[in-house]
Amino acid sequence: MTTTDDIRRWATALPEVEEVSHFRFHVPVFKVRGRTFLGMGRDETTAVFCVAEQQAADASQADPAAYKAVRRPDARKSFLGLQVELGRVPAERVRSLVEEAWRQQAPKRLVAEHDRVRPREDG
C-alpha cells in the first residue's frame, strides 16, 4: 500500500510544494503557492487529490471501491476532489495523481517551467 511517506516524497519533489498540518484533523496537506492540491485522510489510508471534477466522477464510476468524488460536507457542497483508497490503487497510479493534482493547482507558468526543466515522461 502507498504510504504517507511515499506521497510526501513524490509531492515534495515537485516545485514550490510545502507541507502543512490540517488545522482540524492534524494530517498532512500539500500546497503549491498556497493552494492545496492534496490532503491525507484522517487515518492516512486515503488521500484526496484536487483533480478535475469530471476526472473524479469518471474514476469513481469506473471503480467505486477505490475512488470517490468528494464534496464539502457543509451547505456549499462544492467539489473538493478525488478520494483514493490507497490500498486499492497501484502506487504508480497514486504517484501520477500526485502530479496531476499539482498541475491542476499550480500556476501555469510554474508548470511550464517545470516541464522545460524536466519534460513529462508520458507526453
Side-chain angles (χ1 to χ4, degrees), residues 1 8-10 14 16-17 20 25 29 32 36 81 83 91:
M1 180 175 97
R8 177 179 291 115
R9 187 174 62 255
W10 299 328
L14 295 164
E16 299 190 32
V17 170
V20 298
F25 304 121
V29 172
V32 56
T36 299
Q83 180 176 294

Side-chain angles (χ1 to χ4, degrees), residues 22-84:
H22 189 278
F23 72 97
R24 186 182 197 182
F25 304 121
H26 308 290
V27 294
V29 172
F30 299 90
K31 296 182 175 199
V32 56
R33 291 207 184 156
R35 295 184 68 176
T36 299
F37 69 94
L38 162 59
M40 298 304 298
R42 288 185 207 181
D43 63 2
E44 297 186 33
T45 62
T46 62
V48 176
F49 298 86
C50 297
V51 298
E53 188 169 3
Q54 188 59 54
Q55 179 183 359
D58 292 347
S60 61
Q61 185 175 14
D63 189 352
Y67 302 103
K68 179 181 176 187
V70 292
R71 297 185 169 280
R72 291 189 189 283
D74 61 19
R76 295 175 286 177
K77 300 286 187 214
S78 59
F79 176 71
L80 283 176
L82 177 64
Q83 180 176 294
V84 176

